[in-house]
Amino acid sequence: MIEAGSKPSDFIREIIKEDLANNKYGARVHTRFPPEPNGYLHIGHAKSICLNFGIAAEFGGLCNLRFDDTNPTKEEIEYVESIKEDVRWLGFDWGDRLYYASDYFEQLYQYAVQLIKKGKAYVCDLSPQEIREYRGTLTEAGRHSPYRNRSVEENLDLFERMRAGEFEDGSRTLRAKIDMTSGNINMRDPVIYRILHATHHRTGDKWYIYPMYDFAHCFSDSIEKITHSICTLEFEDHRPLYDWFLDELGIYHPQQIEFARLNLSHTVLSKRKLIELVEAGYVNGWDDPRMPTIAGLRRRGYTPESIRNFCERIGIAKRDSMVDIALLEYYIREDLNKHAQRVMAVLHPLRVVIDNYPEGIVEDLEAINNPENPGMGTRNVPFSRVIYIEREDFREDPPKQFYRLAPGREVRLRYAYFIKCVGVIKDAQTGEVVELHCTYDPETRGGDSPDRRKVKATLHWVSATHALEAEVRLYDHLFIKADPNNTEEGRSLKDYLNPNSLEILKLCRIEPSLSGAAPGSRYQFERQGYFCVNPDSSDGSLVFNRTVTLRDTWAKIEKAQK
Ligand code: ATP
Ligand code: MG
């Protein structure tokens, strides 16, 4: 539903509008983004970030950033820092509302004590394995733990001693006393505290017990006076538990609302799987430009705006679906088409000598920086007797529809002249074409002939003596399979990795205006695609990352394979 002049709406925004109209929560809107700091954020998280921060901005509300740091064994400060950086880079601001679930550990402990006092929680001595066995299945009710009817006094005493570190990991848990026959397995006396002798990144060795996600999450929302607690669909079955905890204690109660998580083709969006790729060395770290992480996309050359536009376009739904990665690519192309300067770069250089062009002369030819955006102006590119063109722009025996350079054929050099191929020099041993000889028509300066003679192709080029050398990294999809999560019998994720996801080209030749290009800056290499300067590129050794090709060549390749 799109109203004129407003952002598109969705079922969550409709719920919020209704709540505002009914003055629920005192007409406030307060959301939060609650990452667990156990990995880098990915494009799926961007969807959640855009939703939570976006809703707060649209309805004059607030959005908190809260680290859900209840599992000390998997969490690291590196992840906390990367998450903050990525949320900011995407363009969102949590103001002074940066919170950690671990800040609430004392309060959470007190809530647990209150539940025990109400007879709604008990210390259980079953092992994790036994707890699973007692839990039952979807078709079979669970059984009561033999420890379920401990007295309040005994529970209080044991829970306090759990906190004091008296017991071994796994020897006891605190469980909510709900209903072992519930059709919802989450309600069958879920564990709410476990013993873990582990050092936490913020609370150090203060705690020997840690709250489980469901317990910590609803109370964190409540403590922060969140109004709408937006999460992904897999938590739908946890909502009764979310509500149960808050209702039992009779405290402030946010509304949990679930939406479908983003699934993107040709990649995986699960931190566990992304960690696997990093640790096994299939990629060069979390910010490898092939990774669907925010850090990877940034290194790849994506702009925050393109990611936000993508997230807005895919919208919010209640049913899981898979979005084609081509849609994400569409949004970065659209953005860069308007904003990136166009330059000429030759990735596979072939030397061309223009026999009738005077030696020692250099002409500065005017080139347009972006025809979509005249305000970006023009620049000069040097032209001289020896140039490089793209190897694939020449064919000795041109097939039928090949209109580019060939022996005896004339083409246009962008912003320069018409040239005609008059000689081909080959390596005596290999037969490989190593140099072309051409003549130019001085009357065609700027790219048009006074006699209106037509050529069918326009090639990009660089002047050999002026060009800069650069390394260019061509990136492609990380996985060949559209849905690598869907593994066939006997196969694993790594069997679907695209062996050609990275191709490194050395000795590419780039026009000299890119000398000193700032790391991170973005360009269109004419006829090639969009590229950005790699963050650790330096003037002496320029490195470019291909963000995306000009058109969707992938679709063509796939079609050809079928
Ligand atoms: P992962 O499965 O990648 O580990 P997670 O849900 O465990 O993801 P959290 O750090 O707990 O990761 O997620 C923080 C927030 O981002 C949660 O509200 C979660 O629902 C949301 N989120 C995570 N993945 C996606 C996704 N693919 N699409 C939309 N939202 C997501
Ligand atoms: Mg999680």
Side-chain angles (χ1 to χ4, degrees), residues 318-329:
K318 270 197 240 196
R319 225 178 326 134
D320 275 315
S321 65
M322 160 100 75
V323 174
D324 196 315
I325 199 163
L327 189 65
L328 180 63
E329 293 168 352

Side-chain angles (χ1 to χ4, degrees), residues 36 38 213 235 271:
E36 188 183 345
N38 61 348
Y213 174 84
F235 291 102
K271 280 181 280 186

Side-chain angles (χ1 to χ4, degrees), residues 271-542:
K271 280 181 280 186
R272 187 179 56 74
K273 289 178 180 166
L274 294 173
I275 285 176
E276 260 177 60
L277 298 175
V278 171
E279 289 183 344
Y282 294 119
V283 293
N284 300 314
W286 284 99
D287 64 348
D288 185 300
R290 290 166 291 181
M291 290 281 272
T293 52
I294 307 298
L297 292 167
R298 177 166 59 230
R299 206 178 176 85
R300 178 85 172 249
Y302 274 76
T303 59
E305 191 187 17
S306 65
I307 296 176
R308 291 197 304 265
N309 288 344
F310 167 76
C311 290
E312 188 172 311
R313 162 68 199 278
I314 56 176
I316 301 300
K318 270 197 240 196
R319 225 178 326 134
D320 275 315
S321 65
M322 160 100 75
V323 174
D324 196 315
I325 199 163
L327 189 65
L328 180 63
E329 293 168 352
Y330 167 84
Y331 279 98
I332 185 60
R333 267 190 213 109
E334 185 195 57
D335 188 0
L336 295 179
N337 184 41
K338 283 179 286 187
H339 301 117
Q341 184 184 319
R342 299 193 186 182
V343 294
M344 293 196 284
V346 175
L347 303 190
H348 299 94
L350 176 60
R351 199 177 136 92
V352 176
V353 179
I354 302 168
D355 293 333
N356 61 338
Y357 193 86
E359 254 173 279
I361 295 284
V362 180
E363 280 183 273
D364 275 327
L365 301 175
E366 188 176 67
I368 296 166
N369 286 337
N370 188 338
E372 300 288 318
N373 186 350
M376 287 175 70
T378 61
R379 69 189 186 286
N380 286 335
V381 281
F383 184 79
S384 65
R385 187 164 188 266
V386 182
I387 61 170
Y388 290 108
I389 64 165
E390 209 66 63
R391 210 157 249 288
E392 65 175 28
D393 282 339
F394 172 79
R395 289 286 187 90
E396 200 174 7
D397 290 308
K400 232 180 171 177
Q401 309 239 308
F402 186 90
Y403 298 120
R404 294 171 261 170
L405 200 59
R409 187 179 293 166
E410 190 172 49
V411 296
R412 176 189 294 110
L413 293 177
R414 184 111 162 108
Y415 303 123
Y417 294 100
F418 286 8
I419 57 166
K420 186 184 215 167
C421 179
V422 295
V424 180
I425 296 180
K426 296 184 190 172
D427 183 298
Q429 242 96 74
T430 63
E432 190 198 14
V433 174
V434 291
E435 183 175 293
L436 301 180
H437 283 259
C438 291
T439 55
Y440 86 115
D441 176 358
E443 298 296 312
T444 57
R445 193 177 199 268
D448 284 303
S449 73
D451 62 5
R452 301 190 175 258
R453 141 175 129 251
K454 295 270 184 258
V455 289
K456 281 193 169 161
T458 301
L459 311 187
H460 62 275
W461 53 273
V462 292
S463 165
T465 47
H466 302 91
L468 309 170
E469 274 179 15
E471 175 177 320
V472 175
R473 299 177 185 166
L474 304 179
Y475 293 102
D476 201 348
H477 300 149
L478 194 47
F479 291 94
I480 313 179
K481 198 170 188 277
D483 182 7
N485 292 304
N486 191 1
T487 50
E488 286 135 326
E489 188 76 22
R491 299 244 178 166
S492 73
L493 199 59
K494 67 174 197 311
D495 296 318
Y496 305 117
L497 282 166
N498 177 3
N500 304 316
S501 61
L502 169 58
E503 187 186 349
I504 298 181
L505 306 177
K506 308 264 187 189
L507 292 180
C508 302
R509 301 298 206 289
I510 319 274
E511 67 167 70
S513 70
L514 268 68
S515 163
S521 44
R522 305 174 178 91
Y523 298 91
Q524 183 193 111
F525 289 179
E526 294 213 19
R527 302 176 62 227
Q528 309 274 9
Y530 294 98
F531 293 76
C532 75
V533 182
N534 195 48
D536 22 69
S537 169
S538 68
D539 220 14
S541 63
L542 269 175

Side-chain angles (χ1 to χ4, degrees), residues 168-303:
E168 305 245 312
D169 288 4
S171 61
R172 289 192 159 91
T173 55
L174 183 71
R175 298 176 66 180
K177 193 191 274 190
I178 310 181
D179 179 5
M180 289 308 290
T181 65
S182 172
N184 182 342
I185 292 186
N186 296 307
M187 301 299 275
R188 295 184 187 170
D189 291 10
V191 171
I192 57 183
Y193 266 91
R194 57 189 171 148
I195 301 173
L196 260 184
H197 291 252
T199 304
H200 186 278
H201 73 112
R202 299 193 86 231
T203 58
D205 295 322
K206 180 166 181 216
W207 292 89
Y208 298 103
I209 54 173
Y210 290 92
M212 300 303 287
Y213 174 84
D214 284 322
F215 184 79
H217 194 79
C218 63
F219 288 122
S220 302
D221 282 347
S222 175
I223 291 167
E224 292 174 19
K225 295 284 186 289
I226 298 304
T227 56
H228 300 85
S229 175
I230 302 168
C231 61
T232 38
L233 277 183
E234 66 272 25
F235 291 102
E236 195 168 16
D237 291 344
H238 296 240
R239 180 160 21 96
L241 187 53
Y242 185 103
D243 293 338
W244 187 88
F245 284 131
L246 296 172
D247 289 342
E248 283 301 329
L249 291 186
I251 58 175
Y252 174 83
H253 195 149
Q255 173 67 52
Q256 177 178 309
I257 306 172
E258 309 85 17
F259 71 100
R261 62 194 296 123
L262 169 66
N263 298 302
L264 196 61
S265 75
H266 300 285
T267 191
V268 288
L269 296 183
S270 139
K271 280 181 280 186
R272 187 179 56 74
K273 289 178 180 166
L274 294 173
I275 285 176
E276 260 177 60
L277 298 175
V278 171
E279 289 183 344
Y282 294 119
V283 293
N284 300 314
W286 284 99
D287 64 348
D288 185 300
R290 290 166 291 181
M291 290 281 272
T293 52
I294 307 298
L297 292 167
R298 177 166 59 230
R299 206 178 176 85
R300 178 85 172 249
Y302 274 76
T303 59

